[in-house]
Amino acid sequence: MTPDTSGHASTGTPFDSLVTVGLEQTSTVDRVVEELRRAVFEGELESGTPLREVALAESLGVSRPTVREALTLLVSEGLAIREPHRGVAVATPDPESIGDVSRARCVLELAGVRGWREATDADKKAVRTALEEYAAAVAGSASYEELNRRHLAIHLAFVGLTGSPRLVAMGASAHAELRLALAQVERARRNASDQVAAHQLLVDLLEADKVDQAAAELRRHLADGEAAILERLGLHPDQ
Amino acid sequence: MTPDTSGHASTGTPFDSLVTVGLEQTSTVDRVVEELRRAVFEGELESGTPLREVALAESLGVSRPTVREALTLLVSEGLAIREPHRGVAVATPDPESIGDVSRARCVLELAGVRGWREATDADKKAVRTALEEYAAAVAGSASYEELNRRHLAIHLAFVGLTGSPRLVAMGASAHAELRLALAQVERARRNASDQVAAHQLLVDLLEADKVDQAAAELRRHLADGEAAILERLGLHPDQ
DNA sequence: GTTGTCAGATTGTCAGACAATGACTTGCCG
DNA sequence: CGGCAAGTCATTGTCTGACAATCTGACAAC
């Protein structure tokens, strides 16, 4: 069955052959988590899909304990749900949780935007850079997931204006759930709409020190986003 | 502490009429995590103490994989730090992280306080209840950790005014780090000062709909708390 | 049609083992 | 006598195998 004897080359993991110039000492568990995250964000794993330990183990060429630890991490990130003795499954975003995530985003990002004047130059620059990279990605017609990531990076940069790494981490966690929901909703129709203008307006308002206007605009922008997701979610009532 | 992050969707599922007797289906890993958390919060484990897998395994009477998974969770909560091939150790709170946690608290709790008017009655009631229980604990001269928990429960109730479970979870995670720091600082001198009056004032201001005043008061209260911790941290420069 | 039971599948936990890596000790050489 | 290299030990990261507890589904019985 298992032709081991010579290490654990196992089935094709094309990444292992790469040199990996010593910089990134990634543990096996980290790589598994990364792969699962990618699959979830890319929409390859449908919401609710059970993640069986043995199947994943032989599919990824690692042992069951390794997969198990990766799943535990995934659950702790909120991307999957574990039911005792029933296994782990990809989380299913319901309208309630979407609303909750949106509220959390709103709090975090508004806190950043309101603190624009007190923010460090580095954090302000991060906002501009994120916007530029998003615009470049749109112009270069990057992949759907790429656009999505760059878009959320702008919003994360807003949170970063608070200067608090923990708040940024919280924002990232919220965005992870959002990306999960987006992947489920837009699995077929990947119409990442071009929203460069809206974000440019936001940053312009900030640069002009019109903080309150920017905050109001951001609030509207987030409400729009939530409505869009909910609407599309409503169109896919698979259950 | 965090009562439960799992169930209680409470979307009209009338299962509650059933006994719901505390089946407490706790897995072994959960119990280990719980025990480690308790030890950390109680100050039994000094900051920086290495958490050896084998030692913990035989000390707790469980296997190494179980301990390992528990440690992974502890690390993901920020209560411990894992260095590759060097093991897991109790996190050491430095002034920078304390300041960061305080900023995060400030954002979260202010968001809740500012939303007092829009908050549900249940969430408002939770604030009053938390305050009452804190006062009762002070009057009954409860244990140090008990007072600490009840105190932070009030602040968590403030976050709860946003009505967002995720923001509450984020607040709880911040409070966990705070409790770690407090346990380290006040290991010897457990002078949990009676702060009932300060919180009573806060709630009174809210009840009187003086939201802005309450927000300002809360901001001052948090700044005071941070200063107190930092001062005491400065008195213990063990390294 | 409902209920009881059983087999299969999956998870939770354990035990043991091995390689890789980091820390410590020892001995050599200047 | 002191600094550096090699060896040794401890610890973690990962794998293999195993077993009990539990859930799922189907099948038989009433």
Side-chain angles (χ1 to χ4, degrees):
Chain A
M1 302 287 273
T2 57
D4 40 9
T5 66
S6 63
H8 26 71
S10 110
T11 57
T13 53
F15 308 95
D16 289 340
S17 54
L18 294 182
V19 225
T20 65
V21 198
L23 290 179
E24 288 286 319
Q25 267 285 32
T26 67
S27 82
T28 307
V29 173
D30 288 336
R31 265 171 297 166
V32 172
V33 173
E34 193 61 35
E35 169 65 14
L36 289 177
R37 259 197 294 254
R38 189 201 58 75
V40 166
F41 290 153
E42 217 95 344
E44 294 178 12
L45 267 48
E46 194 166 354
S47 154
T49 303
L51 302 172
R52 311 259 177 239
E53 299 181 356
V54 280
L56 285 176
E58 47 190 58
S59 160
L60 296 171
V62 299
S63 73
R64 192 158 81 92
T66 302
V67 169
R68 196 178 162 74
E69 191 171 333
L71 289 181
T72 299
L73 288 174
L74 219 64
V75 168
S76 82
E77 293 177 15
L79 264 53
I81 290 181
R82 157 168 284 150
E83 285 174 291
H85 289 284
R86 296 203 42 190
V88 175
V90 179
T92 69
D94 54 319
E96 189 178 347
S97 71
I98 295 292
D100 192 9
V101 167
S102 295
R103 224 172 316 165
R105 285 181 74 191
C106 201
V107 167
L108 298 175
E109 298 183 20
L110 279 179
V113 166
R114 288 213 191 90
W116 170 265
R117 292 201 185 90
E118 293 80 18
T120 68
D121 285 340
D123 290 335
K124 292 181 184 178
K125 186 167 165 42
V127 171
R128 301 188 191 103
T129 306
L131 177 58
E132 285 166 14
E133 288 183 351
Y134 176 53
V138 169
S141 65
S143 78
Y144 159 78
E145 239 290 294
E146 179 82 6
L147 286 181
N148 217 337
R149 210 173 45 212
R150 297 243 188 255
H151 175 199
L152 292 180
I154 300 179
H155 289 271
L156 217 53
F158 286 154
V159 182
L161 290 172
T162 61
S164 161
R166 270 163 187 79
L167 286 176
V168 172
M170 294 174 185
S173 136
H175 282 183
E177 289 194 66
L178 219 50
R179 284 167 74 185
L180 166 62
L182 283 171
Q184 297 310 313
V185 163
E186 303 190 337
R187 177 126 24 91
R189 23 149 47 202
R190 344 210 85 182
N191 52 350
S193 55
D194 176 356
Q195 298 186 318
V196 174
H199 295 86
Q200 183 72 56
L201 169 62
L202 269 169
V203 174
D204 285 345
L205 284 173
L206 284 177
E207 303 276 13
D209 242 15
K210 297 176 181 175
V211 174
D212 288 336
Q213 283 188 45
E217 186 64 30
L218 174 59
R219 199 191 295 268
R220 191 170 344 136
H221 174 72
L222 290 180
D224 282 353
E226 179 185 357
I229 295 181
L230 285 180
E231 178 195 355
R232 276 175 281 184
L233 237 175
L235 293 182
H236 284 250
D238 14 26
Q239 312 201 26
Chain B
M1 49 185 64
T2 63
D4 65 352
T5 58
S6 57
H8 291 200
S10 71
T11 57
T13 57
F15 303 151
D16 295 347
S17 57
L18 296 182
V19 212
T20 65
V21 61
L23 278 187
E24 292 292 325
Q25 233 350 341
T26 64
S27 82
T28 307
V29 173
D30 287 336
R31 267 171 294 164
V32 172
V33 173
E34 193 60 36
E35 169 65 14
L36 289 177
R37 260 197 292 252
R38 189 201 58 76
V40 165
F41 290 153
E42 217 95 345
E44 294 177 12
L45 267 47
E46 194 167 353
S47 153
T49 304
L51 301 173
R52 299 272 141 73
E53 299 181 356
V54 280
L56 284 177
E58 47 189 58
S59 160
L60 296 172
V62 298
S63 73
R64 193 157 82 92
T66 302
V67 169
R68 196 177 162 75
E69 191 171 332
L71 289 180
T72 299
L73 287 174
L74 221 62
V75 168
S76 82
E77 293 177 15
L79 265 52
I81 292 180
R82 156 168 286 150
E83 286 175 290
H85 289 284
R86 293 203 43 187
V88 175
V90 179
T92 70
D94 55 318
E96 189 177 347
S97 70
I98 295 292
D100 192 10
V101 167
S102 295
R103 224 171 317 165
R105 285 182 73 193
C106 201
V107 167
L108 297 176
E109 299 185 18
L110 279 180
V113 167
R114 288 212 191 90
W116 172 263
R117 292 199 187 91
E118 293 82 18
T120 68
D121 286 340
D123 291 336
K124 292 181 184 177
K125 185 168 164 45
V127 172
R128 301 187 191 105
T129 306
L131 176 58
E132 284 166 15
E133 287 183 352
Y134 177 53
V138 169
S141 66
S143 77
Y144 160 79
E145 238 290 296
E146 179 81 7
L147 285 181
N148 218 337
R149 208 172 47 210
R150 297 241 189 256
H151 175 198
L152 292 180
I154 299 180
H155 289 272
L156 217 53
F158 286 154
V159 182
L161 290 172
T162 61
S164 161
R166 269 163 188 78
L167 285 176
V168 172
M170 295 173 183
S173 135
H175 282 182
E177 288 194 66
L178 219 50
R179 284 168 75 185
L180 166 61
L182 284 171
Q184 298 310 314
V185 162
E186 303 190 336
R187 178 129 21 94
R189 22 147 54 197
R190 347 209 82 184
N191 52 349
S193 56
D194 177 356
Q195 298 186 319
V196 175
H199 295 86
Q200 183 72 56
L201 169 63
L202 270 170
V203 175
D204 285 345
L205 283 173
L206 284 177
E207 304 276 13
D209 242 17
K210 299 176 180 173
V211 174
D212 287 338
Q213 285 189 43
E217 186 65 31
L218 174 59
R219 198 191 294 269
R220 190 171 345 135
H221 174 72
L222 291 180
D224 282 354
E226 178 185 358
I229 295 182
L230 284 179
E231 177 195 356
R232 276 174 280 184
L233 239 178
L235 293 181
H236 284 252
D238 12 25
Q239 311 197 24

